[in-house]
Amino acid sequence: MNGIKKEKRMSREAILNAVRKNKPESLPLPEIDLGLFEEEINLVETFIDNLKFVGGRAVQLNNMTEIDAEIKKLYPNASKIVSCVKESALGTISINKETEPHGLEDIDLAIIKGELAVAENGAIWVTENDFTIRALPFITNDLVLIVSRNDIYLHMHHVYEAISKRDRTFGVFISGPSKTADIEQCLVVGAHGAISLTVLIV
Amino acid sequence: MAHADEAAIFNKDEAKVDWHDKALWFVRQKRDKSAHKVKGWEELRNYASAIKANVLSNLDSYLLQFEENAQKNGVTVHWAANAEEHNKIVHSILQKHNAKKIVKSKSMLTEECHLNPHLEAHGIEVIDTDLGERIVQLAQEPPSHIVLPAIHKKKEEVDVLFQEHLGTKPCDGDPEYLTAEARKHLRNKFIKADAAITGVNFAIADTGGFVVCTNEGNADMGAHLAKVHIACMGMEKLIPQEKHLGIFLRLLGRSATGQPITTYSSHFNKPEPGKEMHIVIVDNGRTEQLSREDFRASLHCIRCGACMNTCPIYRRSGGHSYKSTIPGPIGSILSPGIDLKKHSSLPFASTLCGSCSDVCPVKINIHEQLYKWRQVIVKDVPQPVVKKTALKMAGSVLANTKMYHFAGKSARFMLKHMPRFVIYSKLNAWGHARDLPEVKNDNFDEWYKKRKKNE
């Protein structure tokens, strides 16, 4: 074991020394001028257009009280539902930090609150805090994300500013349902993750 | 075999080559549409290039910073000088957990290190979970494209493969059905996996986190279900700060497939309680490439594949003709750095049109590097006699006005009057698949002089 550990340390030193020897003279890290990327556009409309482009569906609601009726309408056959949103009473399966993710394999629907949305690419940012079990948004058959219309940002630069203070565990941008075009470039929705994505904008 | 000979094999099936060519050009067009929608696209490319240049010039300190922060997050960091050490490290982690069933999402690095055969030789099952990669794994072939691994396969071939290996019904290559069957097959593998291996798209020095991008969700299905997650990264994947992801994630998906971003951009920072997360940082020739002033910018690459989709040679010769893990223009500047002799024909697999450099999201001067490799290669690697002699002759003819005029005149005379079988003899390599232009009366020089006279 000692031998392996020593070898490990040696590679680390050897790599770092090789880098020091071979790297060019230090070049500056550029300051990013965000002014170059600013645009006056309708954030909600742009987000919805881009979400459609990536295969997702957007529904605009007036109030959080409307979400359950809308979800029932869109997914009438869903019975095994995990809701991570306190405003939704549709959950039939409750989860907590100790839930074994493999047991969620046959979940029909997960309902998760998105922290923010990105207009330029139709993506929603969600973190472990929002869905408790990391596998949930991927293993569920269908996915509903709920986002406030006030939390839609123009582009990724603003988004990274907005999430810079978070507790970093696991987070993901989700842009549309899982998809693949690996067979002759034919787009097929529903590869390994959720087969459909609905975003409720409230 | 040289690239041209390998390409000749791919070109035997003309209909397939045409399809391949058009399919990839279509992806290139989608890239254009998507890029043109972004305000400040060129500035994004400039920033990305400058950030990567800064990373390479401070790589040692960024690596140390990344290691320190990742360790603080409870992630174990390993260092591998070469492919062999990388494979040993991965295997030792799996051994420690007695892991026998592994799911792996796309990682060109593990392809480069030939990780799968190493693990399989130790009795470990490795399943590639990206659909395209699963297809080529079943066919026992390497990927032919870094983003579209099975782009060389027709759907009917996938149909036959799946019938044989997954027991699917014949379906005339119906992509919906085949994808649904692959989903079922791979779900089962995800559920049963002991450990998950993923690649790394970006590793962030100032947080110790890393980002993995997929469209299928396979990296996440693997990593969040298994007890152990091993992420393998080439050392050049580092970026200084998390906010720089704003630049790179805007560029990556658009350059790759024309999507505004990949479906899933997963940010891993800490392992879940009770689980393990490992990162293997790999050199495998990268520090050597770093020493080459003319070629080090090749390490900027973020593996989007845009240079392949646009390359007139790649589109018509297929990824396998390059016989290197990374094919296409970028592969042709990376591979000679690893084995100059083996890959000496690759920098010649280019028209030097420069389209690769134009679409590169991190502004690598790919076509210039191809040209520079050619100069290294003709000095260091013996060239075919025919090519050498022909170029020498061309050189002396082009350097001498009288000879040039004489050669031009005789060529025009021959083209006009010699029988076809003489002109299209074996010596005329250009004419194998093409007709030479029809000779009209004078050449430009003669035409110009006559015109002057008549003025």
Side-chain angles (χ1 to χ4, degrees):
Chain A
M1 200 62 205
N2 266 339
I4 295 173
K5 267 195 181 153
K6 203 171 162 195
E7 194 184 314
K8 268 189 193 170
R9 252 204 324 271
M10 275 172 61
S11 285
R12 179 178 181 276
E13 285 318 305
I15 291 168
L16 288 168
N17 284 334
V19 171
R20 284 177 195 124
K21 196 176 126 223
N22 296 342
K23 68 178 181 177
E25 262 179 59
S26 182
L27 293 160
L29 185 61
E31 274 301 315
I32 299 164
D33 174 8
L34 289 187
L36 296 165
F37 309 115
E38 296 310 319
E39 275 176 285
E40 287 294 325
I41 52 168
N42 184 317
L43 296 176
V44 179
E45 269 174 32
T46 310
F47 172 76
I48 291 173
D49 284 349
N50 281 316
L51 180 64
K52 277 186 199 154
F53 179 70
V54 297
R57 166 172 56 189
V59 179
Q60 297 197 67
L61 299 175
N62 297 317
N63 203 299
M64 278 301 272
T65 54
E66 296 169 19
I67 60 173
D68 278 1
E70 187 63 33
I71 295 170
K72 264 196 221 160
K73 200 171 85 192
L74 294 172
Y75 297 99
N77 299 320
S79 62
K80 293 182 177 170
I81 301 174
V82 176
S83 167
C84 304
V85 180
K86 64 175 190 301
E87 290 88 347
S88 169
L90 293 178
T92 57
I93 293 169
S94 63
I95 57 166
N96 59 48
K97 282 206 163 91
E98 272 70 49
T99 303
E100 178 51 42
H102 297 78
L104 302 174
E105 199 211 339
D106 55 356
I107 290 288
D108 296 320
L109 182 68
I111 306 166
I112 299 169
K113 188 108 184 257
E115 294 184 14
L116 50 83
V118 197
E120 68 152 321
N121 56 26
I124 307 276
W125 171 252
V126 280
T127 73
E128 199 175 350
N129 288 337
D130 308 311
F131 48 82
T132 316
I133 296 295
R134 288 189 189 185
L136 182 65
F138 310 97
I139 204 167
T140 180
N141 201 66
D142 295 288
L143 179 61
V144 170
L145 295 172
I146 300 164
V147 70
S148 159
R149 70 183 74 245
N150 301 320
D151 293 331
I152 302 178
Y153 289 74
L154 174 61
H155 52 47
M156 295 295 278
H157 310 292
H158 290 323
V159 168
Y160 277 106
E161 276 176 6
I163 64 174
S164 65
K165 298 277 191 298
R166 74 188 190 279
D167 175 27
R168 290 183 174 80
T169 55
F170 173 75
V172 56
F173 287 103
I174 299 178
S175 170
S178 157
K179 52 182 119 20
T180 181
D182 276 343
I183 299 174
E184 266 198 26
Q185 282 298 290
C186 303
L187 182 70
V188 180
V189 171
H192 302 303
I195 284 179
S196 82
L197 171 71
T198 303
V199 177
L200 303 179
I201 303 167
V202 183
Chain B
M1 257 201 307
H3 174 270
D5 301 319
E6 297 283 355
I9 298 171
F10 184 72
N11 271 267
K12 278 183 183 155
D13 187 345
E14 208 175 310
K16 195 169 168 179
V17 175
D18 284 348
W19 181 86
H20 189 265
D21 177 21
K22 285 197 185 103
L24 287 164
W25 185 248
F26 183 62
V27 182
R28 154 76 209 260
Q29 288 174 314
K30 285 198 289 185
R31 172 254 171 224
D32 288 352
K33 259 191 221 154
S34 187
H36 295 160
K37 272 195 213 156
V38 176
K39 181 168 181 259
W41 176 259
E42 289 306 312
E43 280 81 6
L44 281 177
R45 293 176 70 214
N46 287 333
Y47 280 135
S49 177
I51 292 167
K52 282 285 183 178
N54 165 268
V55 167
L56 292 182
S57 73
N58 297 285
L59 191 56
D60 50 334
S61 44
Y62 285 132
L63 281 168
L64 288 170
Q65 193 191 359
F66 174 72
E67 179 190 44
E68 193 190 333
N69 286 322
Q71 285 170 344
K72 273 189 212 156
N73 292 336
V75 180
T76 314
V77 180
H78 309 260
W79 301 70
N82 50 44
E84 194 194 344
E85 195 178 4
H86 162 265
N87 295 348
K88 271 189 191 166
I89 290 168
V90 173
H91 181 227
S92 72
I93 300 166
L94 298 176
Q95 253 182 333
K96 201 182 90 188
H97 293 273
N98 196 25
K100 293 283 179 207
K101 291 177 189 294
I102 314 302
V103 285
K104 186 163 80 83
S105 70
K106 193 143 61 192
S107 148
M108 292 316 294
L109 176 71
T110 59
E111 288 287 336
E112 173 188 324
C113 294
H114 303 289
L115 177 68
N116 288 16
H118 179 85
L119 295 179
E120 281 156 8
H122 287 90
I124 292 171
E125 179 194 74
V126 192
I127 303 290
D128 284 322
T129 55
D130 173 83
L131 178 59
E133 286 214 310
R134 186 66 184 136
I135 291 168
V136 295
Q137 187 181 35
L138 291 174
Q140 297 185 307
E141 290 172 11
S144 73
H145 188 291
I146 59 174
V147 174
L148 322 162
I151 187 73
H152 61 289
K153 284 247 176 284
K154 300 293 291 173
K155 59 186 185 211
E156 292 79 12
E157 298 172 77
V158 180
D159 187 0
V160 173
L161 259 181
F162 278 20
Q163 287 177 44
E164 189 186 328
H165 295 277
L166 310 187
T168 53
K169 286 180 241 151
C171 65
D172 291 327
D174 174 8
E176 296 262 355
Y177 169 73
L178 292 170
T179 304
E181 288 298 311
R183 178 182 165 99
K184 273 191 243 165
H185 159 71
L186 288 164
R187 270 265 156 149
N188 186 36
K189 298 289 182 191
F190 285 125
I191 294 290
K192 288 185 177 146
D194 302 314
I197 298 172
T198 70
V200 169
N201 288 93
F202 304 100
I204 301 101
D206 79 341
T207 67
F210 60 94
V211 172
V212 182
C213 303
T214 74
N215 280 323
E216 299 183 7
N218 53 319
D220 290 281
M221 282 295 284
H224 304 316
L225 287 173
K227 289 274 175 240
V228 187
H229 174 189
I230 307 170
C232 304
M233 62 176 266
M235 59 200 291
E236 79 282 16
K237 294 284 165 182
L238 274 176
I239 58 171
Q241 298 160 17
E242 192 181 65
K243 70 171 183 193
H244 296 136
L245 285 170
I247 304 275
F248 289 102
L249 289 183
R250 297 189 79 190
L251 288 164
L252 179 62
R254 291 183 172 97
S255 299
T257 61
Q259 291 169 258
I261 190 169
T262 47
T263 303
Y264 303 105
S265 309
S266 300
H267 295 50
F268 295 89
N269 283 86
K270 286 181 187 154
E272 278 180 285
K275 293 191 178 185
E276 280 185 26
M277 202 180 271
H278 296 261
I279 293 169
V280 190
I281 301 171
V282 183
D283 179 346
N284 205 32
R286 285 164 177 77
T287 50
E288 209 182 327
Q289 190 79 335
L290 186 64
S291 74
R292 301 180 178 116
E293 196 184 340
D294 286 342
F295 304 112
R296 68 166 62 103
S298 61
L299 296 171
H300 291 191
C301 178
I302 58 171
R303 305 287 190 265
C304 69
C307 61
M308 295 165 203
N309 305 337
T310 199
C311 178
I313 305 291
Y314 176 89
R315 283 187 275 118
R316 293 176 182 84
S317 62
H320 288 158
S321 63
Y322 292 78
K323 288 279 171 278
S324 68
T325 308
I326 311 276
I330 182 67
S332 301
I333 57 174
L334 287 170
S335 308
I338 298 162
D339 186 339
L340 187 66
K341 245 193 164 153
K342 184 182 168 203
H343 300 297
S344 68
S345 70
L346 294 189
F348 297 92
S350 165
T351 61
L352 300 185
C353 69
S355 183
C356 45
S357 307
D358 288 343
V359 297
C360 178
V362 287
K363 291 193 111 168
I364 303 170
N365 56 337
I366 304 176
H367 70 296
E368 288 170 13
Q369 292 193 32
L370 286 165
Y371 177 59
K372 280 180 178 158
W373 272 122
R374 290 183 184 188
Q375 290 167 312
V376 174
I377 285 161
V378 291
K379 271 189 210 135
D380 292 2
V381 183
Q383 293 298 299
V385 180
V386 177
K387 187 173 174 181
K388 244 166 94 176
T389 328
L391 285 175
K392 221 175 224 167
M393 272 168 60
S396 52
V397 170
L398 291 170
N400 183 316
T401 320
K402 270 189 187 158
M403 286 252 277
Y404 174 73
H405 282 301
F406 176 71
K409 249 189 191 143
S410 14
R412 281 194 303 280
F413 179 83
M414 301 237 290
L415 273 178
K416 241 179 174 171
H417 301 292
M418 293 294 253
R420 194 177 162 87
F421 74 90
V422 177
I423 294 166
Y424 291 92
S425 71
K426 273 200 166 163
L427 285 170
N428 179 4
W430 202 89
H432 285 170
R434 291 166 284 208
D435 273 356
L436 289 156
E438 198 188 328
V439 177
K440 298 270 164 68
N441 310 314
D442 307 323
N443 71 348
F444 176 76
D445 197 38
E446 289 161 347
W447 171 83
Y448 186 73
K449 277 180 187 152
K450 263 190 205 163
R451 191 170 168 274
K452 275 263 166 201
K453 239 194 229 164
N454 296 339
E455 257 174 16

